[in-house]
């Protein structure tokens, strides 16, 4: 672990560059504490602008929309000491290269858990109860009254939910699914402790393939790392029942989006609820044409409360670092 860098005594306040607009309360507090450079027009910074910002900052506060790779870190000079990411996922940052250069990386876990799990349930309900179809009908003025045979979806109670990645968010999804009367199953690198498994009423599957073949709904809650890239590839998606539904609120790269799209079009998978996409906001256009797919613009953690708490976490990470200690949410490569 590289030596933690305390505030340079020759500089009174840390120079902190924030790459996107953050909630006003967060920006105000940061301005009180640090010599902060804000991105008031919220324009996404180019690669060159990010490198230039890193060269003149002690701390960079990026978001998922900023790719920070090894080449950029090599060009960043030696002033930058901390990348305090505003967000839980850090797959847009080359954490290994940062570490090799003695640059710490922190994130904002925990505060996005409940909000993201809420959106998992919203997507499950949206797909299985066909809510967007109903809403579109209302908005278009096409509803002509109640009918016993219209708008029929499937009942959630009793359905088998397979959670892929049983970290904080996966566990929050499990709690909600229990309340909805679903049967909770999970696959994870490590099995949960027996008491946690019992509390979540969750059945562990060591084999992901075997779990996939038996689930009615699969929710992806594993982070994107080299070992989870395309974890749901064409071969694994084919193991799923044609009546099954896939939900993803984690990172698009965990699913082979083209394979999923092909299978949804062919009716080999019944539906999908997606908040994240393999190529950021460039979505496979064919996904948009499908009635059995609910798409959201990466809203999993988008609550006012959550965004403020994310900012508070960033501030605590920077302040703790400035005081000469490890940021509480330090990300080390072995965690990935
Ligand atoms: O996707 C959101 C996050 O990583 O916090």
């Amino acid at each position: 672990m590289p030596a933690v860098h305390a505030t340079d005594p020759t500089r009174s306040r840390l120079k902190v560059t924030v790459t996107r607009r953050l909630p006003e309360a967060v920006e105000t507090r940061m301005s009180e504490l640090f010599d902060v450079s804000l991105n008031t027009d919220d324009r996404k910074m180019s690669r060159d602008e990010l490198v230039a910002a890193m060269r003149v900052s002690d701390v960079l506060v990026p978001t998922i929309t900023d790719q920070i790779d090894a080449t950029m870190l090599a060009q960043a000079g030696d002033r930058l000491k901390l990348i305090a990411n505003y967000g839980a996922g850090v797959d847009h940052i080359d954490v290994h290269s940062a570490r090799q250069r003695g640059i710490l990386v922190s994130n904002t876990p925990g505060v996005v858990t409940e909000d993201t799990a809420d959106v998992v349930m919203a997507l499950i309900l949206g797909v299985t109860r066909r809510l967007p179809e109903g809403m579109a009908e209302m908005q278009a003025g096409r509803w002509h009254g109640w009918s016993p045979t219209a708008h029929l979806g499937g009942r959630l109670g009793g359905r088998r939910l397979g959670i892929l990645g049983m970290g904080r968010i996966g566990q929050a999804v499990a709690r909600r699914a229990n309340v909805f009367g679903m049967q909770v199953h999970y696959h994870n690198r490590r099995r949960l402790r027996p008491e946690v498994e019992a509390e979540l009423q969750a059945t562990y599957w060591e084999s992901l393939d075997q779990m996939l073949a038996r689930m009615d709904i699969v929710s992806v809650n594993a982070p994107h790392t080299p070992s989870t890239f395309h974890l749901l590839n064409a071969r694994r998606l084919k193991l799923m029942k044609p009546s099954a539904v896939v939900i993803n609120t984690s990172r698009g790269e965990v699913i082979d989006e083209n394979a999923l799209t092909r299978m949804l079009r062919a009716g080999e998978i019944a539906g999908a609820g997606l908040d994240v996409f393999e190529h950021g906001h460039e979505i496979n256009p064919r996904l948009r044409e499908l009635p059995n797919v609910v798409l959201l613009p990466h809203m999993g953690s988008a609550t006012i409360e959550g965004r403020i708490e994310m900012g508070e976490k960033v501030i605590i990470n920077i302040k703790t670092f400035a005081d000469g200690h490890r940021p509480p949410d330090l990300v080390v490569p072995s965690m990935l």
Side-chain angles (χ1 to χ4, degrees), residues 28-320:
T28 304
R29 186 68 188 132
M30 281 188 169
S31 308
E32 286 162 6
L33 293 167
F34 314 119
D35 172 10
V36 78
S37 166
L38 299 171
N39 181 353
T40 45
D41 63 6
D42 202 26
R43 186 178 55 80
K44 184 173 173 316
M45 289 166 76
S46 69
R47 207 180 152 82
D48 288 348
E49 286 169 333
L50 281 170
V51 170
M54 289 197 275
R55 294 182 71 85
V56 296
S57 308
D58 301 298
V59 180
L60 184 77
V61 180
T63 73
I64 187 190
T65 53
D66 306 304
Q67 281 296 330
I68 300 177
D69 61 30
T71 313
M72 294 165 76
L73 289 165
Q75 294 167 350
D78 56 8
R79 179 162 176 183
L80 187 73
K81 293 291 181 289
L82 173 65
I83 299 174
N85 189 53
Y86 183 85
V90 289
D91 52 327
H92 53 293
I93 302 170
D94 189 329
V95 178
H96 290 267
S97 295
R99 188 176 169 83
Q100 276 165 4
R101 298 187 171 277
I103 301 167
L104 304 184
V105 177
S106 63
N107 67 344
T108 61
V111 292
V112 300
T113 303
E114 304 301 325
D115 297 328
T116 308
D118 286 346
V119 170
V120 173
M121 295 315 296
L123 284 171
I124 291 177
L125 286 165
V127 179
T128 60
R129 298 298 304 272
R130 305 172 52 183
L131 302 182
E133 282 177 67
M135 194 171 155
E137 192 175 310
M138 296 301 279
Q139 284 175 335
R142 281 189 277 107
W143 187 47
H144 303 297
W146 188 81
S147 150
T149 52
H151 313 118
L152 303 186
R155 176 181 290 160
L156 272 198
R159 287 212 192 185
R160 291 173 154 222
L161 171 68
I163 299 176
L164 174 44
M166 200 57 144
R168 277 182 261 239
I169 298 174
Q171 293 180 36
V173 172
R175 286 193 190 91
R176 285 159 176 73
N178 279 322
V179 174
F180 278 83
M182 302 178 82
Q183 295 176 29
V184 175
H185 300 255
Y186 76 100
H187 170 81
N188 200 43
R189 268 188 309 181
R190 273 187 303 275
R191 189 169 178 169
L192 296 175
R193 292 199 314 277
E195 63 275 20
V196 181
E197 219 172 67
E199 183 225 316
L200 297 174
Q201 301 173 53
T203 304
Y204 175 65
W205 292 81
E206 193 178 338
S207 159
L208 172 59
D209 289 5
Q210 286 180 17
M211 180 178 92
L212 290 173
R214 288 165 180 80
M215 295 301 118
D216 300 309
I217 300 172
V218 170
S219 171
V220 175
N221 295 109
H224 169 220
T225 66
S227 58
T228 64
F229 176 77
H230 280 193
L231 194 57
L232 288 192
N233 54 19
R235 181 189 71 75
R236 289 210 173 93
L237 288 168
K238 285 201 165 75
L239 297 173
M240 293 177 60
K241 300 196 274 188
S243 57
V245 166
V246 177
I247 304 293
N248 191 3
T249 53
S250 172
R251 286 292 183 266
E253 290 92 333
V254 182
I255 303 182
D256 179 342
E257 191 172 292
N258 283 333
L260 176 65
T261 308
R262 274 198 309 275
M263 291 182 65
L264 285 161
R265 285 168 62 86
E268 290 163 0
I269 286 193
L274 307 174
D275 186 43
V276 285
F277 304 91
E278 191 169 342
H279 304 289
H281 66 282
E282 276 155 33
I283 299 159
N284 186 330
R286 302 210 142 161
L287 272 177
R288 288 203 298 260
E289 298 159 3
L290 296 169
N292 50 343
V293 175
V294 178
L295 304 176
L296 293 180
H298 201 157
M299 292 166 66
S301 62
T303 64
I304 296 165
E305 296 86 346
R307 291 282 191 257
I308 289 177
E309 286 164 13
M310 285 163 70
E312 285 165 354
K313 280 224 149 208
V314 168
I315 290 170
I316 291 170
N317 281 311
I318 300 174
K319 268 180 69 56
T320 312

